[in-house]
Amino acid sequence: LIPMLEVIGPRIIGTWKLVSWTYTDELGNTVPYLGEGAQGILMYDQQGYMNAQLMRAGRAPFAKPGFADGTAEETWLAFNSYLAYYGRYYESQPGEIIHEVEGSLFPNWVGHREVRYATVIGDQLTLHTLPIAVQERKIVFYITWQRVKPS
């Protein structure tokens, strides 16, 4: 049963803090993608731009203070515990949000279209993907966000 989607574009404008990022596999297992306590922020503006940044909790700092001074292992761990990208967005049909990636920590996403299916209930936004093939299985990502209120 597929729920009817509504136009939500104007309702997603603003700043959102990460509540959870999980995936569900073919067996119905739900797993926190970046582990427990992951953090993140998602922003949609009125000009049609978005950015998303998400990270694993408890990321270890590099032993040396310089940005480019990380060892190969430190750099690998840093890259694999953080996701960031930005670009244009639009609602292609009710509830289907397209992110046109202009810049990304993951270079393969630059110039790519990321499709998300969105629902807004109260002050929570949930984005999910269609099934994605990852390491010979199919998973669906679910990312839930809480609207940031003005202070």
Side-chain angles (χ1 to χ4, degrees), residues 89-109:
Y89 78 94
Y90 62 93
E91 187 170 15
S92 62
Q93 56 185 327
E96 183 179 82
I97 307 298
I98 308 297
H99 296 166
E100 293 181 332
V101 181
E102 294 179 9
S104 175
L105 177 65
F106 180 51
N108 297 30
W109 275 10

Side-chain angles (χ1 to χ4, degrees), residues 11 18 61-62 88 99 124 139 145-146:
R11 295 174 54 202
L18 183 66
F62 290 0
R88 306 274 308 162
H99 296 166
Q124 282 205 333
I139 63 174
W145 304 90
Q146 180 71 36

